[in-house]
Amino acid sequence: MDQFMERAVELAAENVRNGGEPFGAVLVKNDKQVAEGVNELHQRFDMTAHAEIQAMRKAQKMMHSHELKGYTMYASGEPCPMCLTAMYFAGVDTIYYGASSEDALDAGLGKAKAIYEELQKPKSERTMEMVHMPLRDGQEDPMQLWKERS
């Protein structure tokens, strides 16, 4: 298992040398590496192109499935709220990580810690405004369509 964390850290260091952020990830199933990724947001201009999500995208595309039950993620850094949530949705079983959110903050990469704190607040106290807009009268309800389909 140490080999997978070593690879995640190796990917992160290589990414820094290539102009990216210090994050690498390795997705594993049954003690075999399935996919890996690095933060590519600087290349793709895509805020969702984090290392863990990139590894998950590769595996899911290869398997033609969004399910990752039975998988383990090795990440060079503690996953941000977006990556953690994606792993919950996909069903990843275990996450091993190297650097903590506090380590990232010390390195000048402090968004994850701040977002974790923000998400603990009630919606009304968050800095990003969220406004609920119910369906208009007569508008088709996609949730109802889903229920009927299921």
Side-chain angles (χ1 to χ4, degrees):
M1 288 187 199
D2 286 344
Q3 72 202 36
F4 302 124
M5 182 57 78
E6 286 178 19
R7 180 62 182 151
V9 172
E10 197 176 274
L11 288 165
E14 185 178 315
N15 202 44
V16 171
R17 285 192 291 277
N18 290 329
E21 292 183 343
F23 300 104
V26 176
L27 189 62
V28 173
K29 184 166 187 182
N30 299 326
D31 294 324
K32 289 188 173 58
Q33 180 174 324
V34 175
E36 60 184 35
V38 296
N39 271 38
E40 295 181 7
L41 54 103
H42 65 290
Q43 293 171 328
R44 297 181 180 270
F45 307 105
D46 176 358
M47 284 305 297
T48 69
H50 287 200
E52 300 91 333
I53 290 178
Q54 293 299 85
M56 290 171 52
R57 283 178 176 151
K58 289 174 187 174
Q60 291 169 328
K61 185 175 182 178
M62 192 172 42
M63 298 180 318
H64 299 276
S65 174
H66 62 278
E67 287 288 326
L68 294 175
K69 290 197 181 299
Y71 285 75
T72 300
M73 181 69 74
Y74 291 82
S76 64
E78 183 174 354
C80 75
M82 175 183 65
C83 293
L84 181 63
T85 301
M87 287 185 269
Y88 267 111
F89 274 117
V92 170
D93 292 349
T94 306
I95 304 164
Y96 293 96
Y97 65 91
S100 69
S101 292
E102 290 77 15
D103 295 331
L105 184 61
D106 288 344
L109 298 160
K111 284 185 180 177
K113 188 172 184 337
I115 294 169
Y116 271 122
E117 291 170 359
E118 183 79 3
L119 291 174
Q120 292 177 9
K121 298 176 185 177
K123 288 178 196 169
S124 63
E125 294 177 21
R126 294 180 188 164
T127 57
M128 182 184 293
E129 186 176 10
M130 291 179 64
V131 180
H132 178 225
M133 295 181 67
L135 295 175
R136 295 185 315 241
D137 286 340
Q139 193 172 14
E140 189 171 41
D141 183 348
M143 295 297 172
Q144 185 59 40
L145 286 173
W146 176 259
K147 279 195 242 179
E148 292 168 4
R149 191 184 100 186
S150 300

